[in-house]
Amino acid sequence: MKKSEFVWMNEGLVPLEQAAVSINDRGFLYGDGFFETLRAEDGRPQFLQEHLARLRASAITFRIPFPDSFPWADRLSQLLAANGLEHGLARVKILLSRGAAPALGLPAAARPTLVIWAQPYTPPGPEEYARGWALATFPERRTTFTGKHKSLNYLFYLAARQYALDRGADEALILEADGLVSEGAAASLVYARDGGFYTPQAPSALPGVTLEVLGRGLAQRGLGLTCLPTTLSEIAQAEGLWLTNSLMGIMPVSSLDGRVLPISPATSLLQECLNLEAQSPPGN
Ligand SMILES: Cc1ncc(COP(=O)(O)O)c(C=O)c1O
């Protein structure tokens, strides 16, 4: 018999089949809310404080009350245990929407909706990491300031990813309004040049948690991760290019718009930096 799945809905755990959000919820009506996707290993959510800080900052910017007193760590443990995810890998999604409130604008009086959902996660296999992912540049530039927030309005990124898939690629490369390189559809970008590591300086890209953590890990080794305005041709000439996100970690890029890119041996160094940070206690 299939085991029941449980979801955290506002005040408690409910079976997945009973977890429902009202059609009045502004998350459904307008994408008026934010989410976080975390990786949990053996029941331990990784970089929880960093994810919560980003969620909180977005909620405050858009006037959604943030549940500051919510016992996040305890509730996540409870949820993972209820779903039999104390061992192995899990994908944890935290969704916070404004809830139901009339009128346009950003009404602050609403009672937000909080949903936390944990499912087993199967990462790409070792061959996939060794081979790397193909990138395709999405021709529509992202022109909204909401790119800085992990908003429930994910349509742009879904369309970008589909554009890449339709071309036999794995991920889309997103451009800023001025045509400079921004990020992936669901990942940040890191590249190597002249022995250093860089990430595109992109004013409307999501501040990636993995990127932040990687920056810390590299700094511990006396290395930098420098933010630099980056053109498409600079990316195409990089000595190594990687996609980073909370679930899959560090994925090398093997081609950009059909042009082959070198798979850099520095992947293992980046992965080590991330692993090291994942093992250090929160707040360190
Ligand atoms: C648009 C976008 N950029 C970057 C990232 C990487 O962010 P993080 O490292 O916080 O998972 C994501 C994650 O899904 C994303 O959706």
Side-chain angles (χ1 to χ4, degrees), residues 35-38 50-51 54 93 142 147 149-150 154 157 171 174 182-189 204-212 244-249:
F35 72 107
E36 289 294 325
T37 308
L38 292 73
E50 288 84 348
H51 282 284
R54 183 170 67 189
K93 275 189 172 291
R142 192 194 43 225
H149 304 273
K150 206 163 163 69
Y154 214 55
Y157 303 100
E171 174 61 310
I174 307 295
S182 184
E183 59 183 335
S188 309
L189 289 170
S204 72
L206 186 76
V209 165
T210 317
L211 205 59
E212 176 191 337
T244 73
N245 75 21
S246 299
L247 281 180
M248 67 180 181

PDB file of all heavy atoms in Angstrom, residues 35-38 50-51 54 93 142 147 149-150 154 157 171 174 182-189 204-212 244-249, ligand 1:
ATOM      1  N   PHE A  35       8.307  31.518  -2.736  1.00  0.00           N
ATOM      2  CA  PHE A  35       8.598  30.148  -2.325  1.00  0.00           C
ATOM      3  C   PHE A  35      10.089  29.933  -2.208  1.00  0.00           C
ATOM      4  O   PHE A  35      10.888  30.714  -2.714  1.00  0.00           O
ATOM      5  CB  PHE A  35       7.966  29.131  -3.286  1.00  0.00           C
ATOM      6  CG  PHE A  35       8.612  29.026  -4.650  1.00  0.00           C
ATOM      7  CD1 PHE A  35       9.389  27.927  -4.971  1.00  0.00           C
ATOM      8  CD2 PHE A  35       8.435  30.009  -5.611  1.00  0.00           C
ATOM      9  CE1 PHE A  35       9.977  27.793  -6.217  1.00  0.00           C
ATOM     10  CE2 PHE A  35       9.024  29.897  -6.868  1.00  0.00           C
ATOM     11  CZ  PHE A  35       9.793  28.786  -7.173  1.00  0.00           C
ATOM     12  N   GLU A  36      10.423  28.876  -1.506  1.00  0.00           N
ATOM     13  CA  GLU A  36      11.814  28.438  -1.380  1.00  0.00           C
ATOM     14  C   GLU A  36      11.854  26.950  -1.678  1.00  0.00           C
ATOM     15  O   GLU A  36      10.931  26.213  -1.320  1.00  0.00           O
ATOM     16  CB  GLU A  36      12.332  28.675   0.054  1.00  0.00           C
ATOM     17  CG  GLU A  36      12.558  30.118   0.400  1.00  0.00           C
ATOM     18  CD  GLU A  36      13.682  30.751  -0.422  1.00  0.00           C
ATOM     19  OE1 GLU A  36      14.667  30.062  -0.734  1.00  0.00           O
ATOM     20  OE2 GLU A  36      13.573  31.935  -0.758  1.00  0.00           O
ATOM     21  N   THR A  37      12.898  26.527  -2.319  1.00  0.00           N
ATOM     22  CA  THR A  37      13.128  25.099  -2.539  1.00  0.00           C
ATOM     23  C   THR A  37      14.434  24.738  -1.860  1.00  0.00           C
ATOM     24  O   THR A  37      15.473  25.320  -2.173  1.00  0.00           O
ATOM     25  CB  THR A  37      13.211  24.773  -4.045  1.00  0.00           C
ATOM     26  OG1 THR A  37      12.058  25.302  -4.694  1.00  0.00           O
ATOM     27  CG2 THR A  37      13.283  23.269  -4.269  1.00  0.00           C
ATOM     28  N   LEU A  38      14.369  23.812  -0.918  1.00  0.00           N
ATOM     29  CA  LEU A  38      15.553  23.419  -0.148  1.00  0.00           C
ATOM     30  C   LEU A  38      15.832  21.947  -0.378  1.00  0.00           C
ATOM     31  O   LEU A  38      14.928  21.174  -0.689  1.00  0.00           O
ATOM     32  CB  LEU A  38      15.310  23.549   1.348  1.00  0.00           C
ATOM     33  CG  LEU A  38      15.120  24.872   2.032  1.00  0.00           C
ATOM     34  CD1 LEU A  38      13.790  25.487   1.738  1.00  0.00           C
ATOM     35  CD2 LEU A  38      15.254  24.647   3.530  1.00  0.00           C
ATOM     36  N   GLU A  50      19.519  30.664   5.531  1.00  0.00           N
ATOM     37  CA  GLU A  50      19.709  31.476   4.328  1.00  0.00           C
ATOM     38  C   GLU A  50      18.421  31.514   3.496  1.00  0.00           C
ATOM     39  O   GLU A  50      18.021  32.561   2.978  1.00  0.00           O
ATOM     40  CB  GLU A  50      20.858  30.923   3.468  1.00  0.00           C
ATOM     41  CG  GLU A  50      22.245  31.143   4.056  1.00  0.00           C
ATOM     42  CD  GLU A  50      22.678  30.082   5.072  1.00  0.00           C
ATOM     43  OE1 GLU A  50      21.834  29.276   5.505  1.00  0.00           O
ATOM     44  OE2 GLU A  50      23.876  30.073   5.455  1.00  0.00           O
ATOM     45  N   HIS A  51      17.756  30.369   3.388  1.00  0.00           N
ATOM     46  CA  HIS A  51      16.501  30.334   2.618  1.00  0.00           C
ATOM     47  C   HIS A  51      15.430  31.181   3.304  1.00  0.00           C
ATOM     48  O   HIS A  51      14.686  31.926   2.652  1.00  0.00           O
ATOM     49  CB  HIS A  51      16.013  28.890   2.460  1.00  0.00           C
ATOM     50  CG  HIS A  51      16.761  28.134   1.402  1.00  0.00           C
ATOM     51  ND1 HIS A  51      16.538  28.317   0.057  1.00  0.00           N
ATOM     52  CD2 HIS A  51      17.746  27.222   1.487  1.00  0.00           C
ATOM     53  CE1 HIS A  51      17.347  27.528  -0.645  1.00  0.00           C
ATOM     54  NE2 HIS A  51      18.100  26.853   0.201  1.00  0.00           N
ATOM     55  N   ARG A  54      15.986  34.905   2.796  1.00  0.00           N
ATOM     56  CA  ARG A  54      15.560  35.393   1.474  1.00  0.00           C
ATOM     57  C   ARG A  54      14.034  35.497   1.406  1.00  0.00           C
ATOM     58  O   ARG A  54      13.492  36.487   0.909  1.00  0.00           O
ATOM     59  CB  ARG A  54      16.085  34.457   0.378  1.00  0.00           C
ATOM     60  CG  ARG A  54      15.744  34.938  -1.016  1.00  0.00           C
ATOM     61  CD  ARG A  54      16.474  34.151  -2.090  1.00  0.00           C
ATOM     62  NE  ARG A  54      16.033  32.761  -2.160  1.00  0.00           N
ATOM     63  CZ  ARG A  54      16.636  31.828  -2.894  1.00  0.00           C
ATOM     64  NH1 ARG A  54      17.686  32.134  -3.624  1.00  0.00           N
ATOM     65  NH2 ARG A  54      16.178  30.590  -2.920  1.00  0.00           N
ATOM     66  N   LYS A  93       9.664  22.264  -0.176  1.00  0.00           N
ATOM     67  CA  LYS A  93       9.185  23.537  -0.711  1.00  0.00           C
ATOM     68  C   LYS A  93       8.452  24.285   0.386  1.00  0.00           C
ATOM     69  O   LYS A  93       7.577  23.717   1.049  1.00  0.00           O
ATOM     70  CB  LYS A  93       8.218  23.298  -1.869  1.00  0.00           C
ATOM     71  CG  LYS A  93       8.919  23.123  -3.195  1.00  0.00           C
ATOM     72  CD  LYS A  93       7.928  23.101  -4.338  1.00  0.00           C
ATOM     73  CE  LYS A  93       8.642  23.119  -5.657  1.00  0.00           C
ATOM     74  NZ  LYS A  93       9.304  24.379  -5.949  1.00  0.00           N
ATOM     75  N   ARG A 142      14.567  39.306 -19.499  1.00  0.00           N
ATOM     76  CA  ARG A 142      13.745  39.513 -18.301  1.00  0.00           C
ATOM     77  C   ARG A 142      13.820  40.987 -17.916  1.00  0.00           C
ATOM     78  O   ARG A 142      14.900  41.531 -17.689  1.00  0.00           O
ATOM     79  CB  ARG A 142      14.213  38.632 -17.159  1.00  0.00           C
ATOM     80  CG  ARG A 142      13.180  38.639 -16.015  1.00  0.00           C
ATOM     81  CD  ARG A 142      13.721  38.071 -14.754  1.00  0.00           C
ATOM     82  NE  ARG A 142      15.039  38.582 -14.575  1.00  0.00           N
ATOM     83  CZ  ARG A 142      16.080  37.836 -14.205  1.00  0.00           C
ATOM     84  NH1 ARG A 142      15.920  36.571 -13.965  1.00  0.00           N
ATOM     85  NH2 ARG A 142      17.251  38.370 -14.081  1.00  0.00           N
ATOM     86  N   GLY A 147      12.364  39.635 -10.569  1.00  0.00           N
ATOM     87  CA  GLY A 147      13.376  38.579 -10.748  1.00  0.00           C
ATOM     88  C   GLY A 147      14.250  38.394  -9.519  1.00  0.00           C
ATOM     89  O   GLY A 147      14.795  37.315  -9.295  1.00  0.00           O
ATOM     90  N   HIS A 149      13.306  38.211  -6.616  1.00  0.00           N
ATOM     91  CA  HIS A 149      12.544  37.492  -5.584  1.00  0.00           C
ATOM     92  C   HIS A 149      12.076  36.147  -6.144  1.00  0.00           C
ATOM     93  O   HIS A 149      11.759  36.059  -7.325  1.00  0.00           O
ATOM     94  CB  HIS A 149      11.325  38.332  -5.173  1.00  0.00           C
ATOM     95  CG  HIS A 149      11.706  39.706  -4.716  1.00  0.00           C
ATOM     96  ND1 HIS A 149      12.057  39.983  -3.414  1.00  0.00           N
ATOM     97  CD2 HIS A 149      11.842  40.863  -5.401  1.00  0.00           C
ATOM     98  CE1 HIS A 149      12.372  41.262  -3.310  1.00  0.00           C
ATOM     99  NE2 HIS A 149      12.257  41.821  -4.503  1.00  0.00           N
ATOM    100  N   LYS A 150      12.011  35.155  -5.280  1.00  0.00           N
ATOM    101  CA  LYS A 150      11.563  33.846  -5.758  1.00  0.00           C
ATOM    102  C   LYS A 150      10.030  33.822  -5.695  1.00  0.00           C
ATOM    103  O   LYS A 150       9.427  33.202  -4.814  1.00  0.00           O
ATOM    104  CB  LYS A 150      12.199  32.736  -4.896  1.00  0.00           C
ATOM    105  CG  LYS A 150      12.320  31.417  -5.619  1.00  0.00           C
ATOM    106  CD  LYS A 150      13.299  30.527  -4.891  1.00  0.00           C
ATOM    107  CE  LYS A 150      13.170  29.079  -5.290  1.00  0.00           C
ATOM    108  NZ  LYS A 150      13.587  28.759  -6.646  1.00  0.00           N
ATOM    109  N   TYR A 154       6.184  32.144 -11.655  1.00  0.00           N
ATOM    110  CA  TYR A 154       7.367  31.451 -12.194  1.00  0.00           C
ATOM    111  C   TYR A 154       7.237  31.223 -13.704  1.00  0.00           C
ATOM    112  O   TYR A 154       8.029  30.511 -14.302  1.00  0.00           O
ATOM    113  CB  TYR A 154       7.512  30.119 -11.444  1.00  0.00           C
ATOM    114  CG  TYR A 154       8.942  29.686 -11.242  1.00  0.00           C
ATOM    115  CD1 TYR A 154       9.880  30.510 -10.631  1.00  0.00           C
ATOM    116  CD2 TYR A 154       9.375  28.432 -11.676  1.00  0.00           C
ATOM    117  CE1 TYR A 154      11.187  30.109 -10.446  1.00  0.00           C
ATOM    118  CE2 TYR A 154      10.686  28.028 -11.491  1.00  0.00           C
ATOM    119  CZ  TYR A 154      11.576  28.873 -10.875  1.00  0.00           C
ATOM    120  OH  TYR A 154      12.882  28.470 -10.695  1.00  0.00           O
ATOM    121  N   TYR A 157      10.149  31.657 -16.141  1.00  0.00           N
ATOM    122  CA  TYR A 157      11.203  30.633 -16.040  1.00  0.00           C
ATOM    123  C   TYR A 157      10.742  29.294 -16.612  1.00  0.00           C
ATOM    124  O   TYR A 157      11.530  28.551 -17.183  1.00  0.00           O
ATOM    125  CB  TYR A 157      11.640  30.480 -14.576  1.00  0.00           C
ATOM    126  CG  TYR A 157      12.106  31.816 -14.039  1.00  0.00           C
ATOM    127  CD1 TYR A 157      11.279  32.602 -13.250  1.00  0.00           C
ATOM    128  CD2 TYR A 157      13.345  32.315 -14.407  1.00  0.00           C
ATOM    129  CE1 TYR A 157      11.688  33.848 -12.811  1.00  0.00           C
ATOM    130  CE2 TYR A 157      13.767  33.560 -13.974  1.00  0.00           C
ATOM    131  CZ  TYR A 157      12.928  34.328 -13.180  1.00  0.00           C
ATOM    132  OH  TYR A 157      13.330  35.565 -12.770  1.00  0.00           O
ATOM    133  N   GLU A 171      18.795  23.430 -19.881  1.00  0.00           N
ATOM    134  CA  GLU A 171      18.469  24.610 -19.079  1.00  0.00           C
ATOM    135  C   GLU A 171      18.582  25.855 -19.966  1.00  0.00           C
ATOM    136  O   GLU A 171      19.327  25.858 -20.962  1.00  0.00           O
ATOM    137  CB  GLU A 171      19.428  24.714 -17.874  1.00  0.00           C
ATOM    138  CG  GLU A 171      19.325  25.944 -17.001  1.00  0.00           C
ATOM    139  CD  GLU A 171      17.971  26.120 -16.322  1.00  0.00           C
ATOM    140  OE1 GLU A 171      16.939  26.041 -17.025  1.00  0.00           O
ATOM    141  OE2 GLU A 171      17.952  26.392 -15.105  1.00  0.00           O
ATOM    142  N   ILE A 174      19.264  33.014 -19.004  1.00  0.00           N
ATOM    143  CA  ILE A 174      18.402  34.202 -18.967  1.00  0.00           C
ATOM    144  C   ILE A 174      19.259  35.453 -19.124  1.00  0.00           C
ATOM    145  O   ILE A 174      20.323  35.560 -18.509  1.00  0.00           O
ATOM    146  CB  ILE A 174      17.637  34.281 -17.615  1.00  0.00           C
ATOM    147  CG1 ILE A 174      16.891  32.980 -17.316  1.00  0.00           C
ATOM    148  CG2 ILE A 174      16.715  35.490 -17.568  1.00  0.00           C
ATOM    149  CD1 ILE A 174      15.800  32.627 -18.248  1.00  0.00           C
ATOM    150  N   SER A 182      22.398  36.913 -17.116  1.00  0.00           N
ATOM    151  CA  SER A 182      21.801  37.003 -15.779  1.00  0.00           C
ATOM    152  C   SER A 182      21.997  35.711 -14.990  1.00  0.00           C
ATOM    153  O   SER A 182      22.760  35.666 -14.038  1.00  0.00           O
ATOM    154  CB  SER A 182      20.324  37.356 -15.905  1.00  0.00           C
ATOM    155  OG  SER A 182      19.764  37.527 -14.642  1.00  0.00           O
ATOM    156  N   GLU A 183      21.299  34.648 -15.380  1.00  0.00           N
ATOM    157  CA  GLU A 183      21.301  33.406 -14.594  1.00  0.00           C
ATOM    158  C   GLU A 183      20.661  32.310 -15.421  1.00  0.00           C
ATOM    159  O   GLU A 183      20.363  32.502 -16.599  1.00  0.00           O
ATOM    160  CB  GLU A 183      20.520  33.622 -13.286  1.00  0.00           C
ATOM    161  CG  GLU A 183      19.077  34.041 -13.519  1.00  0.00           C
ATOM    162  CD  GLU A 183      18.292  34.340 -12.254  1.00  0.00           C
ATOM    163  OE1 GLU A 183      18.645  33.815 -11.187  1.00  0.00           O
ATOM    164  OE2 GLU A 183      17.304  35.095 -12.353  1.00  0.00           O
ATOM    165  N   GLY A 184      20.441  31.146 -14.814  1.00  0.00           N
ATOM    166  CA  GLY A 184      19.680  30.090 -15.470  1.00  0.00           C
ATOM    167  C   GLY A 184      18.208  30.227 -15.114  1.00  0.00           C
ATOM    168  O   GLY A 184      17.840  31.066 -14.281  1.00  0.00           O
ATOM    169  N   ALA A 185      17.346  29.402 -15.726  1.00  0.00           N
ATOM    170  CA  ALA A 185      15.914  29.481 -15.419  1.00  0.00           C
ATOM    171  C   ALA A 185      15.642  29.005 -13.991  1.00  0.00           C
ATOM    172  O   ALA A 185      14.683  29.443 -13.364  1.00  0.00           O
ATOM    173  CB  ALA A 185      15.114  28.654 -16.415  1.00  0.00           C
ATOM    174  N   ALA A 186      16.453  28.100 -13.491  1.00  0.00           N
ATOM    175  CA  ALA A 186      16.280  27.637 -12.105  1.00  0.00           C
ATOM    176  C   ALA A 186      17.643  27.435 -11.461  1.00  0.00           C
ATOM    177  O   ALA A 186      17.848  26.484 -10.704  1.00  0.00           O
ATOM    178  CB  ALA A 186      15.469  26.342 -12.078  1.00  0.00           C
ATOM    179  N   ALA A 187      18.576  28.320 -11.763  1.00  0.00           N
ATOM    180  CA  ALA A 187      19.937  28.156 -11.230  1.00  0.00           C
ATOM    181  C   ALA A 187      20.708  29.456 -11.395  1.00  0.00           C
ATOM    182  O   ALA A 187      20.407  30.262 -12.282  1.00  0.00           O
ATOM    183  CB  ALA A 187      20.660  27.039 -11.978  1.00  0.00           C
ATOM    184  N   SER A 188      21.702  29.640 -10.541  1.00  0.00           N
ATOM    185  CA  SER A 188      22.645  30.753 -10.717  1.00  0.00           C
ATOM    186  C   SER A 188      23.782  30.258 -11.607  1.00  0.00           C
ATOM    187  O   SER A 188      23.911  29.062 -11.875  1.00  0.00           O
ATOM    188  CB  SER A 188      23.207  31.183  -9.365  1.00  0.00           C
ATOM    189  OG  SER A 188      22.165  31.406  -8.447  1.00  0.00           O
ATOM    190  N   LEU A 189      24.600  31.211 -12.049  1.00  0.00           N
ATOM    191  CA  LEU A 189      25.733  30.870 -12.924  1.00  0.00           C
ATOM    192  C   LEU A 189      27.046  31.225 -12.249  1.00  0.00           C
ATOM    193  O   LEU A 189      27.168  32.276 -11.609  1.00  0.00           O
ATOM    194  CB  LEU A 189      25.646  31.669 -14.231  1.00  0.00           C
ATOM    195  CG  LEU A 189      24.553  31.285 -15.224  1.00  0.00           C
ATOM    196  CD1 LEU A 189      24.472  32.328 -16.329  1.00  0.00           C
ATOM    197  CD2 LEU A 189      24.827  29.908 -15.820  1.00  0.00           C
ATOM    198  N   SER A 204      18.771  42.028 -11.755  1.00  0.00           N
ATOM    199  CA  SER A 204      17.437  41.455 -11.536  1.00  0.00           C
ATOM    200  C   SER A 204      17.473  39.936 -11.401  1.00  0.00           C
ATOM    201  O   SER A 204      16.447  39.284 -11.572  1.00  0.00           O
ATOM    202  CB  SER A 204      16.466  41.904 -12.626  1.00  0.00           C
ATOM    203  OG  SER A 204      16.760  41.262 -13.835  1.00  0.00           O
ATOM    204  N   ALA A 205      18.649  39.387 -11.085  1.00  0.00           N
ATOM    205  CA  ALA A 205      18.713  37.927 -10.870  1.00  0.00           C
ATOM    206  C   ALA A 205      18.385  37.588  -9.422  1.00  0.00           C
ATOM    207  O   ALA A 205      18.567  38.412  -8.522  1.00  0.00           O
ATOM    208  CB  ALA A 205      20.109  37.410 -11.214  1.00  0.00           C
ATOM    209  N   LEU A 206      17.916  36.366  -9.204  1.00  0.00           N
ATOM    210  CA  LEU A 206      17.655  35.905  -7.832  1.00  0.00           C
ATOM    211  C   LEU A 206      18.977  35.772  -7.079  1.00  0.00           C
ATOM    212  O   LEU A 206      19.920  35.182  -7.601  1.00  0.00           O
ATOM    213  CB  LEU A 206      16.973  34.529  -7.889  1.00  0.00           C
ATOM    214  CG  LEU A 206      16.520  33.982  -6.538  1.00  0.00           C
ATOM    215  CD1 LEU A 206      15.254  34.700  -6.088  1.00  0.00           C
ATOM    216  CD2 LEU A 206      16.273  32.485  -6.606  1.00  0.00           C
ATOM    217  N   PRO A 207      19.077  36.322  -5.866  1.00  0.00           N
ATOM    218  CA  PRO A 207      20.300  36.083  -5.081  1.00  0.00           C
ATOM    219  C   PRO A 207      20.311  34.629  -4.602  1.00  0.00           C
ATOM    220  O   PRO A 207      19.626  34.282  -3.656  1.00  0.00           O
ATOM    221  CB  PRO A 207      20.178  37.077  -3.911  1.00  0.00           C
ATOM    222  CG  PRO A 207      18.750  37.500  -3.873  1.00  0.00           C
ATOM    223  CD  PRO A 207      18.094  37.168  -5.181  1.00  0.00           C
ATOM    224  N   GLY A 208      21.045  33.785  -5.289  1.00  0.00           N
ATOM    225  CA  GLY A 208      21.013  32.335  -5.019  1.00  0.00           C
ATOM    226  C   GLY A 208      21.647  32.002  -3.678  1.00  0.00           C
ATOM    227  O   GLY A 208      22.725  32.509  -3.350  1.00  0.00           O
ATOM    228  N   VAL A 209      20.992  31.141  -2.936  1.00  0.00           N
ATOM    229  CA  VAL A 209      21.551  30.677  -1.652  1.00  0.00           C
ATOM    230  C   VAL A 209      22.820  29.872  -1.923  1.00  0.00           C
ATOM    231  O   VAL A 209      23.841  30.033  -1.243  1.00  0.00           O
ATOM    232  CB  VAL A 209      20.507  29.827  -0.881  1.00  0.00           C
ATOM    233  CG1 VAL A 209      21.161  29.039   0.241  1.00  0.00           C
ATOM    234  CG2 VAL A 209      19.411  30.729  -0.323  1.00  0.00           C
ATOM    235  N   THR A 210      22.789  29.027  -2.939  1.00  0.00           N
ATOM    236  CA  THR A 210      23.969  28.194  -3.241  1.00  0.00           C
ATOM    237  C   THR A 210      25.166  29.073  -3.590  1.00  0.00           C
ATOM    238  O   THR A 210      26.294  28.811  -3.177  1.00  0.00           O
ATOM    239  CB  THR A 210      23.647  27.225  -4.400  1.00  0.00           C
ATOM    240  OG1 THR A 210      22.353  26.685  -4.178  1.00  0.00           O
ATOM    241  CG2 THR A 210      24.664  26.110  -4.493  1.00  0.00           C
ATOM    242  N   LEU A 211      24.877  30.133  -4.332  1.00  0.00           N
ATOM    243  CA  LEU A 211      25.930  31.078  -4.724  1.00  0.00           C
ATOM    244  C   LEU A 211      26.543  31.737  -3.486  1.00  0.00           C
ATOM    245  O   LEU A 211      27.765  31.854  -3.353  1.00  0.00           O
ATOM    246  CB  LEU A 211      25.272  32.142  -5.610  1.00  0.00           C
ATOM    247  CG  LEU A 211      26.122  32.892  -6.601  1.00  0.00           C
ATOM    248  CD1 LEU A 211      26.771  31.931  -7.576  1.00  0.00           C
ATOM    249  CD2 LEU A 211      25.234  33.879  -7.376  1.00  0.00           C
ATOM    250  N   GLU A 212      25.675  32.149  -2.573  1.00  0.00           N
ATOM    251  CA  GLU A 212      26.129  32.799  -1.333  1.00  0.00           C
ATOM    252  C   GLU A 212      27.033  31.842  -0.534  1.00  0.00           C
ATOM    253  O   GLU A 212      28.124  32.217  -0.080  1.00  0.00           O
ATOM    254  CB  GLU A 212      24.890  33.181  -0.503  1.00  0.00           C
ATOM    255  CG  GLU A 212      25.191  33.770   0.858  1.00  0.00           C
ATOM    256  CD  GLU A 212      23.928  33.877   1.731  1.00  0.00           C
ATOM    257  OE1 GLU A 212      22.807  33.921   1.172  1.00  0.00           O
ATOM    258  OE2 GLU A 212      24.076  33.915   2.962  1.00  0.00           O
ATOM    259  N   THR A 244      24.281  26.502 -10.534  1.00  0.00           N
ATOM    260  CA  THR A 244      24.199  26.119  -9.121  1.00  0.00           C
ATOM    261  C   THR A 244      22.784  26.343  -8.608  1.00  0.00           C
ATOM    262  O   THR A 244      22.170  27.373  -8.886  1.00  0.00           O
ATOM    263  CB  THR A 244      25.176  26.936  -8.240  1.00  0.00           C
ATOM    264  OG1 THR A 244      24.686  28.283  -8.112  1.00  0.00           O
ATOM    265  CG2 THR A 244      26.576  26.975  -8.809  1.00  0.00           C
ATOM    266  N   ASN A 245      22.276  25.359  -7.895  1.00  0.00           N
ATOM    267  CA  ASN A 245      21.036  25.589  -7.138  1.00  0.00           C
ATOM    268  C   ASN A 245      20.968  24.644  -5.948  1.00  0.00           C
ATOM    269  O   ASN A 245      21.800  23.746  -5.801  1.00  0.00           O
ATOM    270  CB  ASN A 245      19.780  25.539  -8.022  1.00  0.00           C
ATOM    271  CG  ASN A 245      19.373  24.156  -8.446  1.00  0.00           C
ATOM    272  OD1 ASN A 245      19.728  23.156  -7.834  1.00  0.00           O
ATOM    273  ND2 ASN A 245      18.599  24.079  -9.525  1.00  0.00           N
ATOM    274  N   SER A 246      19.986  24.907  -5.095  1.00  0.00           N
ATOM    275  CA  SER A 246      19.933  24.209  -3.804  1.00  0.00           C
ATOM    276  C   SER A 246      19.732  22.712  -3.960  1.00  0.00           C
ATOM    277  O   SER A 246      20.198  21.944  -3.119  1.00  0.00           O
ATOM    278  CB  SER A 246      18.796  24.769  -2.957  1.00  0.00           C
ATOM    279  OG  SER A 246      19.024  26.120  -2.713  1.00  0.00           O
ATOM    280  N   LEU A 247      19.007  22.298  -4.988  1.00  0.00           N
ATOM    281  CA  LEU A 247      18.727  20.871  -5.115  1.00  0.00           C
ATOM    282  C   LEU A 247      19.885  20.113  -5.736  1.00  0.00           C
ATOM    283  O   LEU A 247      20.386  19.163  -5.172  1.00  0.00           O
ATOM    284  CB  LEU A 247      17.459  20.656  -5.961  1.00  0.00           C
ATOM    285  CG  LEU A 247      16.129  20.874  -5.253  1.00  0.00           C
ATOM    286  CD1 LEU A 247      14.982  20.630  -6.216  1.00  0.00           C
ATOM    287  CD2 LEU A 247      15.989  19.962  -4.041  1.00  0.00           C
ATOM    288  N   MET A 248      20.322  20.550  -6.898  1.00  0.00           N
ATOM    289  CA  MET A 248      21.338  19.729  -7.584  1.00  0.00           C
ATOM    290  C   MET A 248      22.758  20.161  -7.256  1.00  0.00           C
ATOM    291  O   MET A 248      23.706  19.473  -7.640  1.00  0.00           O
ATOM    292  CB  MET A 248      21.088  19.687  -9.091  1.00  0.00           C
ATOM    293  CG  MET A 248      21.272  20.976  -9.813  1.00  0.00           C
ATOM    294  SD  MET A 248      20.939  20.737 -11.570  1.00  0.00           S
ATOM    295  CE  MET A 248      21.258  22.407 -12.153  1.00  0.00           C
ATOM    296  N   GLY A 249      22.947  21.245  -6.556  1.00  0.00           N
ATOM    297  CA  GLY A 249      24.301  21.680  -6.190  1.00  0.00           C
ATOM    298  C   GLY A 249      25.002  22.321  -7.375  1.00  0.00           C
ATOM    299  O   GLY A 249      24.556  23.356  -7.864  1.00  0.00           O
TER     300      GLY A 249
HETATM  301  C1  LIG B   1      15.663  31.862 -11.213  1.00  0.00           C
HETATM  302  C2  LIG B   1      16.572  31.152 -10.259  1.00  0.00           C
HETATM  303  N1  LIG B   1      17.837  31.572 -10.113  1.00  0.00           N
HETATM  304  C3  LIG B   1      18.692  30.967  -9.256  1.00  0.00           C
HETATM  305  C4  LIG B   1      18.287  29.864  -8.511  1.00  0.00           C
HETATM  306  C5  LIG B   1      19.277  29.215  -7.552  1.00  0.00           C
HETATM  307  O1  LIG B   1      18.916  29.568  -6.269  1.00  0.00           O
HETATM  308  P1  LIG B   1      19.302  28.703  -4.967  1.00  0.00           P
HETATM  309  O2  LIG B   1      20.782  28.508  -5.019  1.00  0.00           O
HETATM  310  O3  LIG B   1      18.860  29.577  -3.861  1.00  0.00           O
HETATM  311  O4  LIG B   1      18.551  27.409  -5.058  1.00  0.00           O
HETATM  312  C6  LIG B   1      16.979  29.397  -8.627  1.00  0.00           C
HETATM  313  C7  LIG B   1      16.544  28.227  -7.846  1.00  0.00           C
HETATM  314  O5  LIG B   1      15.621  27.548  -8.193  1.00  0.00           O
HETATM  315  C8  LIG B   1      16.094  30.067  -9.495  1.00  0.00           C
HETATM  316  O6  LIG B   1      14.829  29.667  -9.613  1.00  0.00           O
END
